Amino acid sequence: MTAGAPITSAPEPELREPIARQLAGALLVYLVLAFAFTSSAWQDPTNRWIGNCCDQEQTIWFLAWTPHAIATGQNPLLTDRLNAPDGANLMWNAAEPLVGLLAAPVTAIGGPVLAYNVAAVGAIALSGLAAFAVLRRFVRGGLGPLVGGALYELSPYVASHAALHLNLLSAWAPPLFLILFDELVRRQRVRPWKLGAAAGLVGAAQLLTSEEILATSAVAITVLAAVAALVVRDRAAVASGFQRLVRAAPAALVTFLALGGGPLAIQFLGPDRIQGSVTNSAVYSTDLLNVVVPTPYQLLAPDAATALSSGFSGLFHEATAYVGLPLLVVVAGFAWLGVARRANLVALVAGVMAIVLFTLSLGPQLTIAGTQTGIPMPWWPMDQLPLLENVVPGRLTLYMWLAIAVLVAIAVTEATRLPLRMRLTALAAIGAALVFVAPTPAASSTTAIPTFFRTWSSHGIGAADTVLFAPWFADGAGAAPMLWSAGAGAEPRMVEGYVYVPGENGRPRFGPENGQIGDIMSKIQDTGTAVVARGGVRRSALTQLGALDVADVVVGPMPHQAEMARFFADLLGAPPTSVDGVLLWRNVPGLVRQQLGAPG
């Protein structure tokens, strides 16, 4: 692609210092940045996790489940430990089985909370390293790619999702896909089938880490191919690149299905599969003002700004498009450089990609200052497609940040070519612009795990026994029992579960329906109201315990624990046993029969 060769394209590898040395040095830098960003959790890494509650408690359980399932001969993609007796299909959830497998040694040695922290730091650092690797292909020198990789590693996208979503921190695949696309279409040095097989391998790994990032990567690569075809003047080069893409596709598909076909079959043909969308794309879309209004996850975020941005994107954790005016000037300048000097296709394509992906992240309709305007946006037709209906449009900013990282890397490299005084001024200006998007250090959280769960195997509760936990939960609120269960190696078979399961007509819901028991428990823990069940309510609650085949009831540390204990003591006609920090009722079926007046 002679016409497509960017003026900032890298020299051939043999003219550069050893690639391994560059990658090792960059990885060290990115690990230091990741540890610094998450430092509060490392004060007590086996008990404190990176971020807030409560998705982490779910993810920590997933990390504990994968090695437990493999060790006991169970399918790690399905579970009967949550939402018992029905169970759950974890391919419809953020289970990350590949991460759980890789983190299994850490889980075995230090527990699932430490495994979560190690996985989060690893995901952040490896994402930066992958960005560095791709930027080296487009930009001369080491400083520009290093800075661009750091921006991608700790972008507002990462800073926000570090608060809740380990799976979305695993953003290493998009740069790897970009490397493969560049090698396939522009450099054309490797046979297409080999690159296709590599793409299938990366895709399968991403499937088992974050299926949503895999889906949005496909969207981003499609957009990139279209943009490249539009801006490259050499039509023969475009045709050649397209032919190589077609030739790579069979190997990519075969490799992907060989590795990922089984998990996909479980997801779409297996038990407990879901029908319909699991998200509301109109709510979880980028707010137009977010591009210039920071959220609390930025280091420089005035109260007036965060008061506004807290209403963005349903939850401001999903508001990840903040670029800020100073950095906008930098990236717009170099995007315009690509337009003015058309030979610089890297800047041109990156600039167009940043704009297009930001536009797509706005979702199916335009939202301004938290108000949905009803104005249709380009994502609307995508939102009607199967699978893509489950995508959160606001998360497409991941690819916008990769494009911005390219432009920043170019800006840094161009600045280093200036005379000394101008060079220092330019680099200082770029650095100042980057400060505006710098993240505030990540928060950390903890919930005590009662000793009862750390000594689970000593209590004689069988693997087939169904346990009802208090507090009752069916979403992230009050999901501490999932963390307790993770501390027991994901062994307890729980009635509840913060997990997507099929509800009416297969539509998604979180965990079990409340029923009489769930309604009463929710009332007690939410209001502190003392409840004594009588008459039909009592019989309904006891019948539900029997239908769920509850063998044991555990009331753990929680608000209004005394009121919850009194309810169960009255309902079951027996006081609890206090064991290692929890209140326990055993032989619940026998107690239920006695209360219902049945023989025996």
Side-chain angles (χ1 to χ4, degrees), residues 31-47:
L31 280 171
V32 169
L33 289 175
F35 274 110
F37 173 59
T38 61
S39 59
S40 67
W42 293 99
Q43 299 170 21
D44 185 12
T46 60
N47 294 300

Side-chain angles (χ1 to χ4, degrees), residues 78 86 89 112 143 177 255 261 277 293 444 517 534 568 593:
L78 300 170
D86 295 329
N89 188 325
L143 182 60
F177 284 130
T255 304
S277 176
V293 179
S444 63
I517 283 288
R534 291 291 182 264
F568 277 108
R593 286 195 298 270

Side-chain angles (χ1 to χ4, degrees), residues 21 57 65 107 117 123 125 188 193 205 232 270 316 325 332 357 370 435 452 459 550:
R21 186 185 304 168
E57 293 168 322
W65 166 249
T107 303
N117 291 329
Q188 301 190 3
W193 73 267
V232 174
F316 67 87
L325 289 174
L357 289 162
V435 167
F452 178 82
H459 299 299
V550 173

